[in-house]
Amino acid sequence: MTLRTFAFSIIGAVAYIPATAQKQIAIADTTISNTYELSEIKVVASKNNAKLKEMPASISIVSAKAIQEMGTKSLSAITGAVPNVFMPDYGSKLTSPIYIRGIGSRINSPSVGLYVDRVPYFEKAAFAFDFFDVEQIEVLRGPQGTLYGRNTMGGIINIITKSPMTFQGTNINLTAGTYGCYNISGGHYGKIGDNFGYSVAINYLHNDGFFKNNFNNSLVDNLNSFGIRNRLVWNINKKLSIENIISYEKSKQGGYPYSQYFVEKDSIAPINYNEYSFYNRDLLSNALVTKYEGAAFEVLSTTAYQYLKDLQAIDQDFSPSSNTFAYQDQKQNMVSQEITIQSKGNQRVEWLFGMYGFAQFFDSGLDIIMSSKRNYSKYNDHTISGYALFHQLTIKDILIKNLNLTAGIRFDVEKDELEYQYDKYTNNIVSSSTTTSYSPLKSAEILPKISLSYKMGQTNIYTTVSKGYKTGGFNSSFDDVNIDLKFKPENSVNYEVGVKTPILWNRFYGDFALFYIDWNNQQIAQSLKSGVGTKLTNAGKSVSKGLEATLNMVPINGFDASVSYGYTYAKFKKYVVNATTNYNDKYIPQVPKESLSILIGKTFRLQANSWVDKIRLSANYKGVGNLYWKEDNIAKQGYYGVVDGRISFSKKRINLELWGKNLTNTSYKAYYFEMQKLKFVQKGRPFQLGVTLDMTL
């Protein structure tokens, strides 16, 4: 039996109940609710805990159950699973750009906001962290600048971890898989009385690596990562509560399984370079949340801190020769403070006021070692700070019953400061040294948003217009300081219409949206002519338009399913590089035109005296493509799909899972780039099998 046949056999088994098993299966969930709603699902990222079905926005919620079903261990795993979301998995944890609706940034600050337990992640180098203890992932597509400000032009991803106030007990999870993959995680969640909760969760992840370097016959992308999270919750009285969440991750990772690629033959050479390359990172985050609930209003204060320290070492030529090797390190300290005050209860007029401030301090260095012994070093002392005031107002039953208006506005101010040092070496002796303090970049931006929604029974129709904004700044690498040093802010206007409604005799709940994004001064990553480093430059005008659709099925006889589909048509309308080169009407790179996810499962509940209480089969298909790698649209990755599957056996609080990833062993390119007229790719991860034991005590 081939892997492809095996994969589709699993999918078929999910929907089929063998006749011989009927005697032991107790049929459950036989009725279909005629009033199926999502009223209990609340969106934390809305800041006012709005109900999912009532929010005038395209939103995906990935529950703890879905996270387990998809084997989600990192943010990149939601690629394809959430409409129009793409996060390529390549290189190392340092290289972790994410795109929503075609909007993203490969280097420098992200275009998509990420919050984990209310801590903002301003650096993409922090985006790729190991998932454990995660309760829910919220993805809000479209600009979220009114409530979140800077660099949320594509949307917001909000990750919430497990709270001891909602779950008590001890959980242990043990996983082993091919390619030397081992994962040990666990947590204890407890309460002292009704007012104090505490939890400690840990995670250890190891893999030997998926790709071999032919030069020394060693695996390139090995990983050792350790994480810990502590949560304390104290409800001082009925009105006042304090919560502190601190997390830390230390990872040591081999990286960069890049192979030379020959486009004409569509062939990939073996990985073959002589210098060991790696990425090491320490990441610490902390949030102190204070909440006061009055009779008619609520005040929420969030103080956040994040520390990131990393070191990248990389063979820049990816060849057996010792031509160029680079060491790059950075250290970031970020602090932020947000205070919001908002109305409470289900009022006709609901309001929210907020103020926000942050300061980000980071130092970075780059040391280039060349075979010519003409080495050089670059050091950046970089500070970004800013503050904001924002307001959002919702008026219900405006003009007519069930017609609601939501409007918001934010005023953002930011300052960017850079001191730059450049040293050249000849035969390990400094031949020249230059230190420059550049004039600060200052910006002020107004970010409005307005939405109308109309409810008809269980159906909600909405339309939204919002402004997106991503700050400009300094490039840390450049060839010509007069041309490459700075890049301009980018901004967009996002138009969206959508509907959330039960369909097909209330057996499915559907979420559908159409969007159009008018986009100016898009920031584009380009390799430097020197071949060492990347800079941001601005395109003139771009457009992104498309649709999103999600269907969630009401469970029937233990069978459940969900389908999501996204389509993005993103092009440059005007992008003139020079007198001889332009990319007008070319597709924006790194943006898949389509994304598709199908998640299906079948739960068999057995008789009370059986050796297991239930057996569950599930399969997940995720597909993305086509996407172009560069602005010239010559090299591309066609549409591809991977199938994952799992079989689980549960007895009381013990669950044993057998799982497989990329069951069809689909071959695809996870990344492509060009350097000094050579082309390189990284392959996607191959077929993998494993087992997971989960216990709740």
Side-chain angles (χ1 to χ4, degrees), residues 330-477:
Q330 63 178 331
K331 182 170 66 175
Q332 177 210 232
N333 286 276
M334 185 280 298
V335 291
S336 67
Q337 175 65 55
E338 181 179 78
I339 299 175
T340 60
I341 179 170
Q342 61 183 356
S343 59
K344 277 186 63 179
N346 187 14
Q347 306 293 329
R348 183 173 181 267
V349 178
E350 297 176 352
W351 49 265
L352 179 149
F353 291 92
M355 53 185 177
Y356 179 78
F358 79 96
Q360 185 182 19
F361 310 93
F362 51 101
D363 302 323
S364 62
L366 174 65
D367 296 313
I368 302 296
I369 302 171
M370 307 181 74
S371 58
S372 63
K373 296 185 179 180
R374 293 183 177 180
N375 308 329
Y376 61 87
S377 299
K378 299 178 181 180
Y379 303 98
N380 294 294
D381 185 355
H382 204 169
T383 301
I384 304 175
S385 58
Y387 65 88
L389 301 172
F390 56 96
H391 170 55
Q392 182 169 287
L393 181 72
T394 298
I395 305 175
K396 299 179 180 179
D397 300 328
I398 188 171
L399 300 179
I400 59 174
K401 186 175 177 58
N402 293 328
L403 179 65
N404 300 336
L405 169 70
T406 299
I409 192 165
R410 185 184 186 102
F411 177 62
D412 248 21
V413 175
E414 191 162 312
K415 183 179 180 181
D416 193 338
E417 302 170 271
L418 175 68
E419 184 178 280
Y420 175 77
Q421 181 178 334
Y422 182 29
D423 297 335
K424 290 184 178 179
Y425 296 82
T426 302
N427 295 321
N428 296 321
I429 299 174
V430 176
S431 57
S432 67
S433 180
T434 304
T435 301
T436 308
S437 294
Y438 296 102
S439 299
L441 301 178
K442 298 179 181 179
S443 63
E445 195 73 21
I446 295 176
L447 301 170
K449 180 177 182 177
I450 187 167
S451 303
L452 278 174
S453 63
Y454 181 68
K455 187 177 180 181
M456 298 182 297
Q458 298 177 46
T459 299
N460 190 35
I461 303 171
Y462 69 88
T463 181
T464 296
V465 180
S466 54
K467 181 179 179 180
Y469 172 70
K470 182 175 183 290
T471 58
F474 294 104
N475 279 310
S476 58
S477 297

Side-chain angles (χ1 to χ4, degrees), residues 525-625:
Q526 289 185 340
S527 297
L528 297 177
K529 294 179 181 178
S530 63
V532 180
T534 309
K535 67 175 182 178
L536 281 181
T537 188
N538 294 93
K541 198 171 183 63
S542 310
V543 65
S544 179
K545 52 189 175 182
L547 60 88
E548 290 145 1
T550 301
L551 290 174
N552 290 304
M553 176 186 173
V554 182
I556 305 172
N557 293 340
F559 179 80
D560 55 82
S562 65
V563 179
S564 65
Y565 175 78
Y567 176 82
T568 300
Y569 183 87
K571 278 191 169 185
F572 299 113
K573 294 179 68 176
K574 183 180 180 182
Y575 183 10
V576 178
V577 179
N578 52 46
T580 59
T581 304
N582 74 75
Y583 299 120
N584 299 343
D585 206 38
K586 296 289 187 181
Y587 288 101
I588 296 173
Q590 309 249 14
V591 178
K593 185 174 288 187
E594 295 180 277
S595 63
L596 173 65
S597 174
I598 304 172
L599 179 62
I600 54 178
K602 175 69 179 181
T603 301
F604 303 92
R605 300 187 184 277
L606 307 184
Q607 295 177 351
N609 59 352
S610 300
W611 59 283
V612 294
D613 296 330
K614 62 181 180 181
I615 300 173
R616 179 167 175 81
L617 306 178
S618 65
N620 180 210
Y621 171 87
K622 293 189 294 185
V624 295

Side-chain angles (χ1 to χ4, degrees), residues 39-57:
S39 57
E40 295 305 316
I41 300 179
K42 295 184 178 181
V43 183
V44 177
S46 67
K47 292 189 185 290
N48 59 357
N49 288 324
K51 296 175 182 177
L52 174 62
K53 70 171 187 176
E54 295 177 357
M55 283 192 66

Side-chain angles (χ1 to χ4, degrees), residues 464-494:
T464 296
V465 180
S466 54
K467 181 179 179 180
Y469 172 70
K470 182 175 183 290
T471 58
F474 294 104
N475 279 310
S476 58
S477 297
F478 44 80
D479 288 322
D480 188 330
V481 67
N482 297 314
I483 298 174
D484 302 330
L485 176 64
K486 304 174 185 178
F487 54 91
K488 295 184 289 187
E490 60 179 325
N491 59 76
S492 67
V493 179
N494 184 89

